[in-house]
């Protein structure tokens, strides 16, 4: 088994690789570098919206919020596929208002370059690439008990301990990934890697199940 969890960082991606019992962390300048460096990867789980609709909110986002009482604000509304054009925020917001009936948050707009990057990569990827969300991953690891904010000291410690309990120990990470990753980038990549393993082992749940599918054939679902 070789699976990878990816979380975006300021200049690329932080990836945690689970290769059997071995755990390692890596920095990737772009998502295509993942399969160049690890051509035998079997599942990639990535914290980015993939299936993008052009009418109404995604059920995936609604259901994900329902799974995170008190932490629902960590789930941003995915943008409409029509918003993937490279335009200024005001134009993207107008597109969203027109096709979805609601505006585009600044957080979602800031994700558009990485969403476009993954959208372009998905069709040519040599292995399955699935959307996950680290807050859902941590909640499932923790028997659906909510953890404090990952920005807090308690939240960081409890997330590190949760990953350690499922065999993902990141204390010895060094090198480029350690220097480029913020604390929450590394923890989130570890949680995505755990979900990648759940997917590989057939234990993941789907939100929603069955998935919605966008016009390109991508599933608008979050696996956890």
């Amino acid at each position: 088994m070789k699976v990878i969890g990816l979380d975006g960082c300021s200049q690329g991606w932080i990836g945690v690789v689970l290769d059997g019992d071995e755990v390692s962390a890596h920095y990737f300048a772009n998502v295509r570098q993942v399969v160049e460096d690890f051509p035998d990867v079997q599942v990639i789980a990535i914290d980015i919206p993939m299936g993008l609709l052009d009418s109404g909110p995604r059920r995936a986002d609604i259901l994900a919020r329902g799974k995170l009482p008190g932490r629902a604000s960590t789930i941003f509304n995915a943008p409409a596929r029509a918003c993937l054009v490279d335009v200024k925020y005001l134009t993207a917001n107008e597109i969203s208002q027109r096709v979805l009936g609601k505006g585009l948050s600044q957080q979602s707009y800031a994700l558009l370059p990485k969403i476009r990057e993954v959208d372009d990569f998905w069709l040519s990827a040599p292995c399955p690439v699935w959307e996950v969300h680290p807050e859902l991953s941590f909640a499932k690891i923790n028997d659906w008990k909510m953890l404090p904010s990952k920005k807090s000291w308690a939240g960081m410690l409890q997330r590190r301990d949760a990953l350690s309990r499922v065999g993902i120990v990141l204390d010895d990470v060094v090198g480029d990934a350690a220097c480029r990753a913020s604390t929450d980038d590394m923890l989130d990549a570890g949680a995505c890697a755990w979900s990648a393993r759940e997917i590989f082992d057939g234990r993941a749940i789907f939100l929603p199940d069955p998935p919605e599918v966008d016009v390109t054939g991508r599933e608008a679902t979050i696996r956890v």
Side-chain angles (χ1 to χ4, degrees):
M1 176 204 71
K2 182 176 287 184
V3 300
I4 299 177
L6 290 178
D7 188 68
C9 64
S10 60
Q11 296 180 329
W13 302 86
I14 300 299
V16 169
V17 179
L18 305 183
D19 187 357
D21 293 331
E22 295 182 9
V23 180
S24 59
H26 306 265
Y27 165 74
F28 304 102
N30 57 71
V31 73
R32 291 190 183 277
Q33 187 186 341
V34 177
V35 294
E36 292 169 3
D37 292 355
F38 296 94
D40 56 344
V41 61
Q42 293 167 283
V43 172
I44 297 173
I46 188 165
D47 177 21
I48 206 76
M50 290 182 60
L52 305 176
L53 307 181
D54 277 328
S55 62
R58 300 196 316 170
R59 288 187 60 222
D61 301 328
I62 295 169
L63 293 172
R65 291 190 191 97
K67 288 280 191 181
L68 298 171
R71 304 286 299 149
S73 63
T74 62
I75 306 291
F76 303 146
N77 283 321
R81 178 158 292 281
C83 291
L84 289 189
V85 292
D86 190 4
V87 294
K88 299 294 186 183
Y89 172 72
L90 287 178
T91 304
N93 190 53
E94 289 171 0
I95 293 171
S96 182
Q97 290 278 10
R98 185 172 68 250
V99 300
L100 293 183
K102 61 171 59 180
L104 183 71
S105 70
Q106 290 282 359
Q107 295 98 324
S108 293
Y109 178 75
L111 288 176
L112 287 180
K114 280 188 163 57
I115 295 174
R116 284 193 290 268
E117 182 184 348
V118 174
D119 200 65
D120 291 341
F121 167 72
W122 176 81
L123 283 175
S124 61
C127 69
V129 181
W130 301 118
E131 177 183 347
V132 297
H133 195 288
E135 283 298 295
L136 290 168
S137 303
F138 280 119
K140 187 179 175 186
I141 292 170
N142 204 43
D143 295 325
W144 298 105
K145 300 179 183 70
M146 296 301 102
L147 297 172
S149 168
K150 63 186 179 182
K151 301 294 186 182
S152 69
W153 182 251
M156 182 277 287
L157 289 175
Q158 290 183 39
R159 282 166 174 76
R160 188 187 71 170
D161 291 347
L163 290 175
S164 296
R165 291 198 306 271
V166 294
I168 302 176
V169 179
L170 300 168
D171 293 2
D172 296 329
V173 169
V174 295
D176 212 14
C179 293
R180 290 179 179 270
S182 66
T183 301
D184 55 317
D185 291 337
M186 187 64 71
L187 292 169
D188 284 352
C192 291
W194 177 81
S195 281
R197 188 170 66 193
E198 292 286 284
I199 293 166
F200 180 85
D201 289 339
R203 293 192 296 263
I205 61 173
F206 298 15
L207 301 175
D209 187 5
E212 294 178 299
V213 179
D214 74 8
V215 295
T216 70
R218 292 164 173 82
E219 292 183 0
T221 189
I222 302 172
R223 284 166 166 77
V224 59

